């Protein structure tokens, strides 16, 4: 990887918070279950790393499939300490979890998304002289109900009380993950100019420089209307190259605008987003990173039964338009593309060819709006800062 590409991304010394001799503030145990895809591991890692790097916490990330971290976090593996985070395999038969002593219980216990502390650990939480703060870390949504559910207690029959922590877009929610240096890193990356930043990205990815062509990144689910999307890029008067990581959109193979690119480690995914003219992202973590990139973006939500994800998409689009204040044509394009890209397969294929060009015509306006969105949200505390305060209030 060329030097200039990673120079602006300092990482804390490895092992900082994992060293038992180092005095850390609070011990955290985060329990992560990989349901599918990368988001569970991605969010668990990003949060744990920030707790260690920016809040002097000592986090252990218990994850049932640590191999899900491998492609995102170089050096990650069970029993290893990376960037101050102790990574452990979440196996309820592990004696540290099957026979947890009350003193082994952390000060803060977090059930991440589908994750929860195993039964013996939970029994030890009850027996601990000072009860830990127990937090259910939930999925991100811009829906209005989130602000009223954030912080609610969930008393259990055994006397323990879990508290719901909802990430979100409003001040009364848990906020969004954002490292303290993220925006400064982004500005440093853009400082030599857009052409230089793009060329550095292409060198990193091992692909030809784009010249005058525009770049889009594509990270979507298998049911996305990829063929119609790529055809719509190809039909434009300006030249587009669409970067497609492995396994993301097999149907893109061989399409004239598609460029296969490697899957990059998580900390290098940001510069990729910063360098593109349009980012198509998905799920939860890449979605938030694309928002902080401030470049024009389109989100594909994780599909839920009975179309429940569409309410999430509508809520996000409304909240983004409110905060980013795009011109009316750009707002219409943003809303129409989100509706099309998140529609059922056949419907999406019919709508994307008309919706994408309206977004591409509005790229400048959408970029300016993205900067306004950042200005609004960067002025509020980030998720890890809010979570630390939330935990302290419950200790
Ligand atoms: O993988 P996802 O679809 O995860 C999903 C969602 O989180 C969803 O809400 C959840 O319910 C489900 O998992 C279980 O998408 P997400 O959240 O964007 O996570 C992908 C991660 O992969 C993100 O951290 C960015 C990272 N990434 C890289 O590190 N390098 C790459 O090259 C790419 C394309 C992604």
């Amino acid at each position: 990887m060329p030097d200039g590409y990673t120079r602006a991304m300092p990482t804390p010394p490895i092992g900082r918070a994992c060293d038992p001799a180092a005095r850390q503030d609070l011990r955290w145990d985060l329990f992560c279950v990989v349901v599918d895809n990368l988001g569970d591991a991605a969010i668990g890692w990003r949060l744990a790393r920030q707790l260690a790097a920016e809040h002097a916490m000592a986090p252990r990330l218990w994850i049932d499939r640590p191999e899900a971290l491998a492609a995102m976090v170089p050096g990650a593996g069970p029993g290893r300490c990376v960037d101050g985070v102790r990574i452990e395999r979440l196996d309820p038969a592990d004696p540290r979890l099957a026979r947890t002593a009350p003193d082994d219980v952390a000060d803060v216990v977090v059930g991440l998304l589908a994750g929860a502390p195993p039964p013996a650990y939970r029994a030890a939480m009850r027996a601990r002289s000072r009860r830990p703060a127990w937090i259910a870390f939930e999925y991100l949504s811009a829906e209005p109900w989130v602000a009223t559910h954030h912080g609610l207690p969930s008393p259990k029959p055994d006397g323990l009380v879990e508290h719901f922590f909802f990430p979100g877009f409003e001040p009364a929610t848990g906020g969004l993950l954002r490292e303290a240096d993220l925006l400064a890193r982004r500005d440093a990356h853009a400082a030599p100019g857009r052409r230089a930043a793009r060329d550095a990205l292409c060198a990193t990815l091992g692909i030809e420089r784009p010249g005058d062509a525009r770049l889009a990144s594509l990270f979507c689910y298998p049911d996305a209307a990829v063929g119609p999307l790529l055809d719509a890029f190809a039909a434009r008067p300006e030249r587009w190259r669409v970067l497609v990581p492995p396994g993301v959109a097999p149907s893109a193979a061989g399409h004239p605008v598609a460029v296969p690119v490697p899957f990059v480690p998580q900390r290098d995914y940001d510069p990729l987003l910063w360098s593109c003219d349009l980012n198509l992202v998905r799920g939860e973590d890449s979605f938030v990173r694309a928002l902080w990139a401030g470049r024009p973006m389109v989100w594909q939500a994780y599909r839920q039964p009975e179309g429940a994800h569409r309410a999430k998409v509508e809520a996000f689009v409304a909240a983004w338009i409110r905060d980013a204040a795009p011109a009316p044509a750009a707002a219409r394009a943003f809303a129409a593309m989100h509706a099309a890209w998140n529609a059922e397969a056949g419907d999406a294929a019919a709508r994307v060819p008309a919706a994408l060009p309206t977004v591409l015509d509005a790229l400048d306006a959408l970029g300016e709006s993205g900067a306004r969105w950042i200005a609004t949200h960067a002025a509020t505390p980030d998720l890890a800062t809010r979570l630390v305060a939330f935990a302290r209030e419950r200790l």
Side-chain angles (χ1 to χ4, degrees), residues 50-144:
Q50 210 185 331
L51 289 171
E54 297 177 20
H55 297 275
M57 300 290 158
R60 270 194 301 190
L61 178 61
W62 296 92
I63 175 167
D64 64 339
R65 283 172 42 205
E67 37 305 335
L69 284 170
M72 288 186 283
V73 186
R80 303 189 73 166
C81 178
V82 184
D83 291 1
V85 178
R86 173 73 64 194
I87 300 164
E88 299 287 1
R89 185 180 297 280
L90 172 54
D91 170 6
D94 182 319
R96 292 170 298 171
L97 296 176
R99 292 193 292 277
T100 314
D103 283 350
D104 295 336
V105 169
D107 304 297
V108 185
V109 179
V110 181
L112 277 166
L113 306 172
Y121 188 100
R122 210 172 126 166
M125 285 164 65
R126 261 195 325 273
R128 194 181 195 258
S129 52
R130 188 179 176 208
R131 292 266 168 96
W134 182 18
I135 298 169
F137 184 103
E138 290 294 334
Y139 294 91
L140 170 65
S141 175
E143 291 162 290

Side-chain angles (χ1 to χ4, degrees), residues 225 228 340 344-355:
E344 293 301 321
D347 198 13
R351 292 162 71 178
V352 164

